[in-house]
Amino acid sequence: MDYISKLKKELERAILIGDIEKADEISDKLFKTQGGRDADTVMPHQFIEKIKERSKERSKEKTGGQKTMNVKKIVSIAAAAAVVATIGISTLAVRWNGVKDLVFKNSGIKTAYTEDDFESQEDSENKDLPESTVEGEADFIALQGYPDSNEYKASVEWNLFCSEYDADGSILAKIGNSSNEFIEKYPMYLVYTQEMADKLEEIINKYELKLHESRTFISSGEELIKEAGTGDFIKNNNIVLGGYVYNDSTFHFDGEAVLKDGTQMGYQFGNYVKGTFSDTYLNIGDANSYREWEYTTKSGVKVSLALSENKALVIADLPDSYVTINLLSGTQKGITDKMLEEFADLFDFSKI
């Protein structure tokens, strides 16, 4: 671990335990080490007020010649260290490199990714590679939240475990199409040994998440809204082709939208309820190939948009869930920034 990373870890620890004096000391070091620059980020209001309050107390306690806390400096440095990411404030998303920060795995080689890339460990075992593929770098992202969230951390930990466990598929091959106690106990996940069951239980207890217990398949927008218990968030010229809803209202569906100019846009929509565990991940090709920006939809919800040659993403961090929409086309098929924004406006995220 380099010196700056070590200081940032120490700063996180000091803030989490409320040691403002220590945080002030470490921020001095960080401030000087990083050239004295103020980071252009924000901190939670309650933390800023805590710093200010403690700063006033210290100024009363100290006598001439002793420095008092530089509130602006410690707030900016703390934000620069992404302290809020470990505090777990879901309403604040600290992202430095956009989509790249969501990547949890890279194949390290040029590979083919499909035009239907939403996968879970269960899905990937039985999935045939379609004929329509695109050559590119294989970066995989978790779809359950930003890297500071328990949902993201749990998904990454489980997927990395599964990528190494029974890598040659020999254990699963012995089970074949038969069932066992683990498959029956965890029907929504690919768990077929005691080791896998133990790891899954360890993860959900560690991150305080609940497992999906059942799911209902749907074939229309009306069925989706009824099963998920949402408002009517799908606007005109936008249809649900099929999907499923878990018992906790997490859902996934395939859809097709038509823009004003007649452009048809196929997509996959994932809504992941916070506090639940999902193992779905997405192959996005090369994360470095995306152009990204923020956009406030007509429903008043701010979303993150990302556009590459072969794919586009719409991401919304909502109060109760995290939404990732995988658009199955990009600039090579004529998709522009304005078209992606128009597409995002076909959903009323405030009703989810």
Side-chain angles (χ1 to χ4, degrees):
M1 182 181 296
D2 60 37
Y3 181 63
I4 291 179
S5 296
K6 182 179 179 181
L7 286 177
K8 288 180 178 180
K9 285 292 184 183
E10 292 179 357
L11 180 57
E12 291 177 13
R13 190 178 302 111
I15 290 173
L16 288 171
I17 65 176
D19 190 344
I20 303 302
E21 285 82 0
K22 185 66 174 179
D24 188 24
E25 177 187 337
I26 298 172
S27 72
D28 271 333
K29 296 179 182 178
L30 267 173
F31 197 72
K32 293 175 182 177
T33 303
Q34 299 184 123
R37 297 187 301 267
D38 284 344
D40 183 23
T41 50
V42 294
M43 286 290 290
H45 293 302
Q46 62 266 38
F47 183 58
I48 296 174
E49 292 305 317
K50 181 178 180 181
I51 293 175
K52 289 180 178 179
E53 182 180 344
R54 183 57 185 143
S55 181
K56 290 178 182 179
E57 293 176 1
R58 287 187 67 205
S59 65
K60 293 178 182 179
E61 296 169 357
K62 293 190 174 184
T63 58
Q66 293 179 299
K67 73 179 184 69
T68 57
M69 181 181 296
N70 183 327
V71 174
K72 181 180 179 182
K73 179 188 62 181
I74 188 174
V75 169
S76 64
I77 288 296
V83 174
V84 289
T86 60
I87 293 175
I89 298 175
S90 61
T91 58
L92 182 64
V94 178
R95 291 169 297 141
W96 300 107
N97 298 304
V99 168
K100 290 189 287 293
D101 274 354
L102 300 177
V103 174
F104 72 90
K105 183 181 178 182
N106 182 283
S107 67
I109 59 174
K110 294 291 183 180
T111 186
Y113 65 88
T114 75
E115 291 188 349
D116 183 22
D117 287 313
F118 268 111
E119 289 189 8
S120 66
Q121 288 297 330
E122 181 179 9
D123 297 334
S124 63
E125 293 295 329
N126 303 302
K127 187 172 183 178
D128 295 326
L129 184 68
E131 294 181 0
S132 177
T133 62
V134 183
E135 292 296 324
E137 190 78 15
D139 285 321
F140 298 90
I141 65 172
L143 304 176
Q144 293 72 29
Y146 288 125
D148 62 315
S149 69
N150 282 347
E151 291 82 3
Y152 176 95
K153 295 173 185 176
S155 179
V156 168
E157 186 171 334
W158 174 251
N159 277 300
L160 291 178
F161 165 79
C162 289
S163 68
E164 297 178 357
Y165 183 83
D166 192 23
D168 62 359
S170 58
I171 300 176
L172 183 60
K174 292 179 181 179
I175 297 174
N177 293 323
S178 62
S179 182
N180 63 26
E181 59 181 300
F182 308 110
I183 294 174
E184 293 177 359
K185 184 177 181 180
Y186 306 100
M188 299 296 103
Y189 306 89
L190 186 66
V191 177
Y192 49 89
T193 67
Q194 184 65 59
E195 291 86 353
M196 298 183 83
D198 290 344
K199 184 61 178 179
L200 182 60
E201 290 293 339
E202 173 193 328
I203 288 174
I204 63 172
N205 289 326
K206 177 180 179 180
Y207 296 108
E208 300 180 329
L209 302 176
K210 294 181 179 180
L211 296 175
H212 306 310
E213 297 177 353
S214 62
R215 63 182 172 184
T216 301
F217 289 92
I218 52 92
S219 58
S220 68
E222 291 77 11
E223 291 180 1
L224 170 66
I225 291 168
K226 178 181 177 181
E227 292 295 332
T230 67
D232 188 3
F233 68 94
I234 304 172
K235 297 185 179 181
N236 296 332
N237 300 318
N238 191 1
I239 60 172
V240 174
L241 300 176
Y244 53 84
V245 181
Y246 286 110
N247 60 290
D248 51 42
S249 295
T250 293
F251 60 80
H252 171 270
F253 70 88
D254 293 338
E256 185 175 88
V258 180
L259 301 185
K260 294 177 181 178
D261 66 357
T263 300
Q264 293 185 331
M265 305 179 79
Y267 65 90
Q268 298 168 321
F269 192 112
N271 177 69
Y272 304 94
V273 173
K274 294 178 179 179
T276 66
F277 174 69
S278 295
D279 62 353
T280 313
Y281 59 91
L282 175 66
N283 185 334
I284 63 169
D286 183 1
N288 292 302
S289 68
Y290 287 79
R291 183 173 67 258
E292 304 178 56
W293 68 101
E294 287 192 334
Y295 174 67
T296 300
T297 64
K298 291 181 179 179
S299 60
V301 176
K302 184 178 290 186
V303 298
S304 295
L305 303 179
L307 180 62
S308 71
E309 290 186 351
N310 302 298
K311 190 184 290 290
L313 301 171
V314 179
I315 297 173
D317 189 13
L318 305 178
D320 299 319
S321 65
Y322 184 90
V323 170
T324 304
I325 306 176
N326 175 35
L327 189 62
L328 306 177
S329 54
T331 56
Q332 280 192 350
K333 293 185 178 180
I335 305 302
T336 65
D337 294 5
K338 290 296 182 183
M339 293 170 73
L340 186 55
E341 291 174 355
E342 182 184 342
F343 171 76
D345 282 325
L346 294 178
F347 304 93
D348 188 342
F349 295 99
S350 67
K351 293 184 178 180
I352 296 178

